[in-house]
């Protein structure tokens, strides 16, 4: 009997059972954190390194010396010491890049406070000479008043009667404890002139205080 030639058979898929099967054991999968795209930084967002350094330097200078600069302006007779000190910090912020040495920033700030206070007092003297009625007495702010004790207020009254240069020399020498060279740099005068103003101011202040007793 001739065998039939077998051709390739088509595979038949296995029968799918319709019987219910046991559910597979569930494995806890930790929930994935939602993806939050970070916004792209605009060009130059990090800023110029020199600007970053200036911001940090001035902030540090403010933290360390604001109170002492405010006290200096008060002792020198500024009627608005907060504004004087704020202007001094603004000026040093603008000129920060031109400072030869960042360590000299405190000395520059102190000199600026002295200059601004001196100019402010001169301006007020000119204004008062051209005003018919005397201006109201300046009211000290709570911040500046808190820096001073009662006996210091009496002393400030005597200090304000001294010429500006004598007052500056005494404050820088006896309240801030600066050396003659530092006082000379702050006032923009020679060391010999510092000695002269200090001696004359101390003599005048002593006489004024004795007259108040």
């Amino acid at each position: 009997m001739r065998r039939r030639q077998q051709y390739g058979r088509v595979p038949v898929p296995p029968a799918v059972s319709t019987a219910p099967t046991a559910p597979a054991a569930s494995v806890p999968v930790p929930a994935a954190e939602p993806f939050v795209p970070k916004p792209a930084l605009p060009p130059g967002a990090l800023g110029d390194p020199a600007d970053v350094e200036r911001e940090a330097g001035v902030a540090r200078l403010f933290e360390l010396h604001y109170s002492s600069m405010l006290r200096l302006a008060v002792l020198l007779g500024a009627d608005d010491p907060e504004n004087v000190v704020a202007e001094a910090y603004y000026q040093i912020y603008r000129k920060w890049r031109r400072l030869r040495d960042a360590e000299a920033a405190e000395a520059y700030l102190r000199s600026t406070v002295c200059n601004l206070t001196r100019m402010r007092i001169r301006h007020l003297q000119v204004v008062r000479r051209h005003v018919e009625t005397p201006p109201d007495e300046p009211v000290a702010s709570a911040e500046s008043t808190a820096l001073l004790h009662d006996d210091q207020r009496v002393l400030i009254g005597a200090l304000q009667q001294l010429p500006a240069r004598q007052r500056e020399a005494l404050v820088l020498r006896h309240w801030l404890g600066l050396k003659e060279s530092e006082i000379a740099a702050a006032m923009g005068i020679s060391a010999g002139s510092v000695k002269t103003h200090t001696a004359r101011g101390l003599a005048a202040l002593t006489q004024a205080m004795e007259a108040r007793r």
Side-chain angles (χ1 to χ4, degrees):
M1 183 175 181
R2 180 182 296 180
R3 299 177 60 184
R4 293 184 178 179
Q5 186 177 0
Q6 295 182 352
Y7 295 92
R9 297 181 178 179
V10 178
V12 179
V16 179
S17 175
T18 58
T21 58
S26 61
V27 178
V29 178
E33 296 182 358
F35 173 75
V36 179
K38 296 182 179 180
L41 293 176
L46 296 179
D48 187 348
D51 289 337
V52 175
E53 188 272 338
R54 176 174 63 175
E55 294 282 349
V58 175
R60 182 64 173 167
L61 196 66
F62 185 90
E63 179 182 356
L64 292 176
H65 303 296
Y66 176 78
S67 295
S68 62
M69 293 300 122
L70 182 62
R71 184 179 291 108
L72 173 61
V74 171
L75 292 172
L76 292 180
D79 64 322
D80 54 349
E82 290 86 358
N83 288 335
V84 168
V85 176
E87 176 64 22
Y89 273 99
Y90 173 70
Q91 290 193 15
I92 199 173
Y93 177 84
R94 291 176 56 245
K95 300 179 180 179
W96 186 266
R97 294 187 181 184
R98 285 179 280 173
L99 291 178
R100 297 179 182 177
D101 184 5
E103 298 297 330
E106 179 187 357
Y108 178 84
L109 181 65
R110 184 166 52 236
S111 177
T112 305
V113 170
C114 291
N115 292 333
L116 291 175
T117 302
R118 192 184 310 123
M119 289 188 296
R120 175 65 181 172
I121 292 175
R122 290 175 181 173
H123 171 73
L124 291 177
Q125 290 173 347
V126 172
V127 171
R128 288 166 183 168
R129 282 198 294 265
H130 292 81
V131 176
E132 295 181 358
T133 57
D136 297 334
E137 290 296 327
V139 179
S141 66
E143 185 176 11
S144 60
T145 302
L147 294 172
L148 304 174
H149 301 294
D150 292 336
D151 55 344
Q152 290 178 323
R153 296 191 186 97
V154 175
L155 186 58
I156 288 176
L159 273 173
Q160 291 178 350
Q161 304 303 317
L162 299 179
R165 291 294 189 180
Q166 295 180 14
R167 180 170 58 246
E168 290 177 22
L170 288 179
V171 170
L172 294 173
R173 176 66 182 90
H174 295 284
W175 274 266
L176 297 187
L178 301 183
K179 301 177 182 178
E180 288 183 357
S181 58
E182 295 174 326
I183 299 174
M187 296 179 61
I189 59 178
S190 65
S193 297
V194 171
K195 293 181 180 180
T196 301
H197 289 306
T198 302
R200 292 178 179 176
L202 187 58
L205 183 62
T206 302
Q207 183 178 1
M209 293 298 293
E210 289 178 351
R212 287 172 176 261
R213 293 178 181 177

